[in-house]
Amino acid sequence: MKELLIQTKGDTPALALVKDRRLMAYWPLEAQLELAAGAIYKGRVGRVMKNLNALFVTLTKGVEGFLPLSEARGTQPRPGDSLLVQIKRPPQGKKAAYLTQDISLPGRFCMLLPYGNYAHASKRSEHRQAMKRRAQGLRPEGMGLVLRSKAEQATDEEIQAEIARLQADWEALLQKESSASAPMLMAPAPGILERILMDETALPERVITDDEKTADQLPFPGLIHPDPFGLYNVLTQLRQALRRRVYLPSGGLLVLDPTEAALVIDVNTAQDSKRAGDAYLRTNLEAAAEIARLLRLRRAGGMILIDFIDMDTDAQRLQVQQALETALRADPVKTEVLGFTRLGLMEMTRKKTDAPLPAQRLHEEDTTTNDA
């Protein structure tokens, strides 16, 4: 069963997504939606970096974003100009937020592109060509439209109603922008609960919260419980998932080492394994499912290298790759599995949408147990 837990009280207010009692995703309620992916600003151009073909845009006092000229619209902006920009990737560490002027407004069934002029469908759509033709017929004149995979189960009337709502949101934003002084936030990123409803391929079957007001605001019935996280030991599961060494039920071990360039994951088997070939394959298949869960839970992004246990045949390697791809389908964030390199490492990428979870400020007692 897929359940959404909302805990608003105590030291760790957060949302947690649980499937069959296992923690799949975790969002601190204190997350800064103003600097999350999707937030829209009226910014002011600052430094122009000709050698990088980019410029820095002030978003708010003391906060700049990085705008490549390839993401800019029209003529090259000059210092002091005001621009409407959207955060494509949030700031991480010393890296500034990555910006674009190709604004997109997300909905549950579609994504409206006010400055676009094309129609597309999600790569996850089972009937993508048919959905692209459908998008072309529904696309508002002078705008772009991308139909999400959920649109396959929606009627044209439902999609058109969402398009009309997004168009109204855009008109309201432009009206606000016309009288605003840069730099200023025009629209924060969608809230966590809103993102869950938009992004999850299958909605939670049950919601449990400790707050009656929150339950009243849900689009479906919610249960009240004084300690939702305590039902499934969410914080214990979170601590275990954020450690450098994560153990598999079979006795195998994952070692996760984030670097500046990539996240490197090493898969190890139990030392007392018998019939090594079969045991290694079973451990690798188990690791593939767990890695998919951990990548989402830890909000890993960018390049990821996985050193699975050596396998005897190409058929076994293909089986492990397919298991990883299947497990990643539940992840709403875009992922791509590129396959094994000549050195035997699995290459994959996961789109950077949020700061990695270990970088989030958790309650002190919940972080001190993490491995170095």
Side-chain angles (χ1 to χ4, degrees):
M1 176 184 285
K2 193 174 186 179
E3 299 170 276
L4 178 64
L5 311 180
I6 307 175
Q7 186 144 315
T8 63
K9 302 169 185 176
D11 297 322
T12 54
L15 280 76
L17 192 65
V18 176
K19 184 177 181 181
D20 298 330
R21 307 180 69 89
R22 296 202 73 201
L23 181 62
M24 306 302 293
Y26 180 92
W27 301 270
L29 285 176
E30 62 182 16
Q32 287 186 294
L33 298 180
E34 294 83 0
L35 292 175
I40 300 174
Y41 281 85
K42 184 175 185 178
R44 186 170 299 281
V45 178
R47 296 170 291 160
V48 176
M49 313 296 288
K50 293 184 179 180
N51 58 327
L52 298 177
N53 286 322
L55 47 90
F56 283 91
V57 179
T58 300
L59 303 178
T60 186
K61 186 177 180 180
V63 178
E64 287 186 319
F66 181 80
L67 177 67
L69 294 182
S70 60
E71 297 281 358
R73 298 178 56 253
T75 58
Q76 180 173 329
R78 296 179 296 178
D81 288 350
S82 59
L83 298 175
L84 197 62
V85 294
Q86 186 172 40
I87 295 180
K88 199 170 183 178
R89 289 200 299 266
Q92 294 187 16
K94 296 181 180 180
K95 294 183 179 179
Y98 188 94
L99 307 177
T100 182
Q101 283 196 282
D102 290 327
I103 309 294
S104 61
L105 304 179
R108 187 178 178 195
F109 302 123
C110 66
M111 184 173 293
L112 186 67
L113 309 164
Y115 297 125
N117 192 27
Y118 53 86
H120 282 307
S122 168
K123 291 182 179 179
R124 298 191 179 194
S125 297
E126 293 184 8
H127 308 94
R128 193 179 180 205
Q129 292 304 317
M131 292 299 290
K132 286 178 70 174
R133 291 191 294 270
R134 191 179 179 193
Q136 187 62 52
L138 294 169
R139 180 176 70 88
E141 185 177 354
M143 292 187 173
L145 183 71
V146 178
L147 290 184
R148 310 182 75 173
S149 57
K150 285 185 178 181
E152 291 185 302
Q153 283 74 48
T155 65
D156 284 356
E157 290 74 19
E158 289 175 318
I159 298 172
Q160 287 170 336
E162 184 169 84
I163 292 172
R165 178 181 63 79
L166 294 174
Q167 285 181 298
D169 290 345
W170 177 243
E171 292 299 327
L173 189 148
L174 289 180
Q175 187 173 359
K176 179 180 178 181
E177 187 262 347
S178 65
S179 59
S181 299
M184 183 178 291
L185 175 68
M186 294 290 100
I192 298 170
L193 184 57
E194 185 180 357
R195 283 173 54 188
I196 293 172
L197 297 178
M198 286 193 301
D199 295 342
E200 287 299 313
T201 53
L203 292 179
E205 300 169 56
R206 185 166 70 172
V207 179
I208 305 175
T209 178
D210 60 359
D211 182 63
E212 291 186 10
K213 290 183 179 180
T214 301
D216 293 339
Q217 296 171 358
L218 294 172
F220 33 72
L223 301 178
I224 306 296
H225 190 279
D227 183 17
F229 284 5
L231 291 172
Y232 303 122
N233 296 316
V234 165
L235 295 182
T236 298
Q237 290 196 55
L238 180 64
R239 286 195 294 268
Q240 293 171 345
L242 296 184
R243 290 174 177 165
R244 178 174 179 259
R245 300 160 67 88
V246 177
Y247 288 91
L248 300 172
S250 66
L253 173 68
L254 303 179
V255 181
L256 298 93
D257 286 314
T259 70
E260 286 291 329
L263 170 63
V264 181
I265 304 174
D266 187 30
V267 181
N268 298 283
T269 189
Q271 294 182 356
D272 59 350
S273 295
K274 298 178 181 179
R275 298 181 61 193
D278 292 340
Y280 291 172
L281 177 60
R282 286 196 302 271
T283 301
N284 282 337
L285 293 173
E286 185 180 36
E290 180 67 355
I291 287 170
R293 183 183 80 96
L294 292 176
L295 293 180
R296 181 182 183 186
L297 181 52
R298 296 166 71 118
R299 301 185 193 172
M303 186 167 64
I304 299 158
L305 298 174
I306 307 170
D307 187 8
F308 285 105
I309 304 166
D310 289 341
M311 290 168 279
D312 296 330
T313 66
D314 288 339
Q316 290 181 336
R317 283 183 279 274
L318 179 60
Q319 188 177 350
V320 170
Q321 179 173 335
Q322 291 174 338
L324 179 61
E325 291 170 340
T326 299
L328 288 169
R329 287 175 190 160
D331 191 343
V333 175
K334 181 181 178 181
T335 59
E336 184 177 6
V337 178
L338 303 174
F340 285 94
T341 69
R342 293 176 63 184
L343 293 177
L345 300 176
M346 173 70 76
E347 281 185 309
M348 66 164 290
T349 61
R350 186 175 187 270
K351 185 178 179 180
K352 293 181 179 180
T353 57
D354 294 300
L357 191 55
Q360 300 285 343
R361 185 175 63 83
L362 300 175
H363 190 241
E364 184 177 358
E365 69 181 35
D366 296 326
T367 57
T368 53
T369 57
N370 288 356
D371 290 352

